[in-house]
Amino acid sequence: MSDLRALFGIEHPIVLGPFGGLSSVPLTAAVSDAGGLGSFGLYGYDGDRIRRTGAELRAATSRPFALNIWVPTGDEVVPNAQHMIFAQALQPFYDAVGVEMPARPEQYIPSHEEQLDAIWDVAPAVLSVVFGVPSGAVVEEAHRRGIRVVGTATTVAEAVALADGGVDAVVATGFEAGGHRVSFVRPAEDSLVGTFALVPQVVDAVDVPVIAAGGIADRRGVAAAFALGAEAVQVGTAFLVTPESAVNDAHREAIRRTPADGTVLTKAMSGRLARGVRNRAVRAIEASGTIAPFPMQNWLTGLFRTAAGRQELGELQSLWMGQAAPLARAGSAAEAFAELVAGVPVE
């Protein structure tokens, strides 16, 4: 058994990508029950919601799971007078789904401290973070509680910073991956390294286990990741298409029909660079040239995206997915997991 599997208490080196806003208890539990590490993204969750989610996960699985949070980068804007200006720019989308233009809230996202307090109460096997290096105090407290810490890197420099910060493992995520580019040393636009180039360089640069992510959706990708020196893989899109995931049918259908060159990197939906489909909403927002900074843009578009999701309007949702979407062919989460495990080298 690899060091990483022993570290996390799992049987197979398969980690579920932590979908911020798209995680589900059934999918997280399915991956954990299969012997991998199920992950649940907590973006936007306040303390009470984190505790409720933790209780639901405990009820759904007795196996190890990870909770994921975003590290504050320091440039997050708070609600201000510009809120209504940017909201007015999105008025056509509110009208399209039948919701009112949102008033300015007290806050866009819960505090980092509130989320951590709740995570300590839940006590997951693993705390994973994106967009930065967790503080020494956070790493120390996690370890005191028996919680492993995983950081996410898009460049070698970020991986080294995470390893120096005391994390137990590093996710090396190539630009093929769906969702947000979680860069933090340099701008995301200047940190676009492919998985095949990134993983072996990170393996050479750090002395902690490396988890490969980005463009991995079947046994061939898993085998390649291990050949590059990774000890595990993190997979998102191949699990998003399963019935256990939280995405709706419009999103699943988009994953099935989008070619490898059909995704784009855009700030349109959240104010931060992310990979997904350039649908009607993305095209219109990009063309307008009016994109609020993060997390204002994410909050403002979230109001119509949520309603669009309920109405199965894929052209107005965030259709996050990676470049390996055409390889996401499995039916259930168990079938997707079995396909990935088939690529793990026999010890």
Side-chain angles (χ1 to χ4, degrees):
M1 179 178 290
S2 71
D3 291 341
L4 184 138
R5 280 179 276 182
L7 191 70
F8 293 166
I10 58 177
E11 297 172 28
H12 303 293
I14 311 295
V15 179
L16 174 65
F19 312 115
L22 289 176
S23 288
S24 79
V25 169
L27 180 55
T28 302
V31 172
S32 290
D33 284 346
L37 183 69
S39 304
F40 196 103
L42 300 174
Y43 175 81
Y45 280 41
D46 62 18
D48 289 342
R49 191 177 181 189
I50 290 173
R51 293 181 180 91
R52 289 197 303 271
T53 300
E56 292 172 4
L57 286 167
R58 293 286 183 206
T61 182
S62 61
R63 308 299 294 274
F65 60 83
L67 294 181
N68 174 269
I69 56 173
W70 295 26
V71 175
T73 62
D75 63 351
E76 295 87 355
V77 298
V78 297
N80 57 51
Q82 290 186 310
H83 176 94
M84 291 310 299
I85 297 174
F86 285 109
Q88 288 167 1
L90 297 171
Q91 181 69 60
F93 300 107
Y94 301 135
D95 292 342
V97 296
V99 299
E100 296 292 325
M101 182 185 298
R104 187 169 73 187
E106 292 186 5
Q107 62 180 18
Y108 292 126
I109 51 177
S111 73
H112 190 54
E113 292 72 24
E114 178 182 354
Q115 289 192 312
L116 285 170
D117 285 344
I119 289 169
W120 302 146
D121 290 342
V122 175
V126 176
L127 167 63
S128 70
V129 304
V130 292
F131 283 110
V133 180
S135 69
V138 168
V139 173
E140 181 179 355
E141 182 64 15
H143 287 166
R144 188 183 72 81
R145 294 171 179 268
I147 300 171
R148 302 300 184 183
V149 182
V150 176
T152 311
T154 64
T155 65
V156 174
E158 290 175 355
V160 171
L162 287 163
D164 289 346
V167 303
D168 298 291
V170 170
V171 176
T173 176
F175 68 71
E176 301 95 328
H180 283 87
R181 302 308 305 141
V182 294
S183 307
F184 58 89
V185 169
R186 300 170 65 200
E189 295 87 344
D190 300 328
S191 306
L192 300 178
V193 185
T195 304
F196 217 80
L198 180 64
V199 171
Q201 294 182 66
V202 170
V203 169
D204 289 349
V206 302
D207 58 1
V208 296
V210 174
I211 303 166
I216 301 169
D218 61 16
R219 67 184 70 192
R220 294 170 295 180
V222 175
F226 275 84
L228 296 174
E231 287 196 25
V233 297
Q234 180 172 287
V235 177
T237 305
F239 284 116
L240 264 188
V241 77
T242 68
E244 291 90 346
S245 90
V247 304
N248 58 20
D249 288 341
H251 197 153
R252 286 191 184 88
E253 180 58 27
I255 292 174
R256 293 189 177 99
R257 61 179 168 77
T258 300
D261 60 350
T263 63
V264 295
L265 290 167
T266 180
K267 290 186 176 181
M269 290 302 204
S270 72
R272 282 183 175 172
L273 202 66
R275 183 176 296 283
V277 173
R278 181 173 275 148
N279 55 9
R280 171 187 160 193
V282 170
R283 290 194 302 270
I285 294 171
E286 288 182 338
S288 74
T290 305
I291 300 176
F294 176 86
M296 183 187 293
Q297 182 74 0
N298 199 54
W299 193 91
L300 288 170
T301 64
L303 272 295
F304 73 75
R305 288 186 284 117
T306 300
R310 290 194 295 266
Q311 298 171 39
E312 295 282 346
L313 299 175
E315 287 298 314
L316 301 181
Q317 298 174 219
S318 289
L319 299 176
W320 304 135
M321 68 186 72
Q323 291 183 325
L327 301 176
R329 305 189 186 109
S332 67
E335 290 172 331
F337 192 90
E339 167 62 25
L340 296 166
V341 170
V344 178
V346 178
E347 294 183 349

